[in-house]
Amino acid sequence: MSLVRLKIKGISYSQTQNGAYALILNEVDSDRKLPIVIGAFEAQSIAIALEKEIRPPRPLTHDLFKNFADRFDIVVKQVIIHKLVDGVFYSSIICERDKIEEIIDARTSDAIALALRFQAPIFTYKNILDKAGIYLKINPEKEDESEEDSVLVDDLIAEELETGSVQESYKSKTLEELHNLLDEAVANEDYEKAAKIRDEISKR
């Protein structure tokens, strides 16, 4: 089975599952996406790794693992999403220490959070992408997309468009006030709020 490299497209909040997020992985050199439902903590950890500007005052669990691995010269070489059973993705972390390679079983969300911190590539098998991959935007050249895919896409990206009253309130703030709110959110370890404030600052 051939491996396909993936990159992280983004994280979308799930309206259907309270506190659940959809991690969107993008096939390199293709429009095909692989959506994976993850928990709030893992979404926060992945978001922190993606957002270089936001640094938690204390190390998160995945940061601790990275620090521990660095101290003992353990390197994460790559992550492979190797199995899909009943909608659950199974992953392996390929590690190396003293030129000896080890394979460690892991939840996909944890594996990707670590891959980001080690700057390790993420792969899956072509048959998994064929089974679970979708196209977020309708491509006229690809007419085989099912209605089920379209419904799933709506569920996945609906919250990406979320502005809400909280976002609206940020628009009335000055840049100085936004930076103060950002510092406060990071200090309180409310990284979801910090990311939204950072988005508003970036728009300015």
Side-chain angles (χ1 to χ4, degrees), residues 126 137 151 173:
K126 184 178 181 298
K137 293 182 179 178
V151 172
K173 303 289 185 184

Side-chain angles (χ1 to χ4, degrees), residues 186-200:
V186 172
N188 292 331
E189 301 185 24
D190 188 347
Y191 303 116
E192 185 180 345
K193 180 179 178 181
K196 290 178 180 177
I197 296 171
R198 182 205 52 78
D199 289 342
E200 181 61 32

Side-chain angles (χ1 to χ4, degrees), residues 25-39:
L25 299 173
N26 199 108
E27 180 182 2
V28 174
D29 300 325
S30 171
D31 291 330
R32 188 158 51 168
K33 312 292 189 297
L34 185 67
I36 301 174
V37 175
I38 60 176

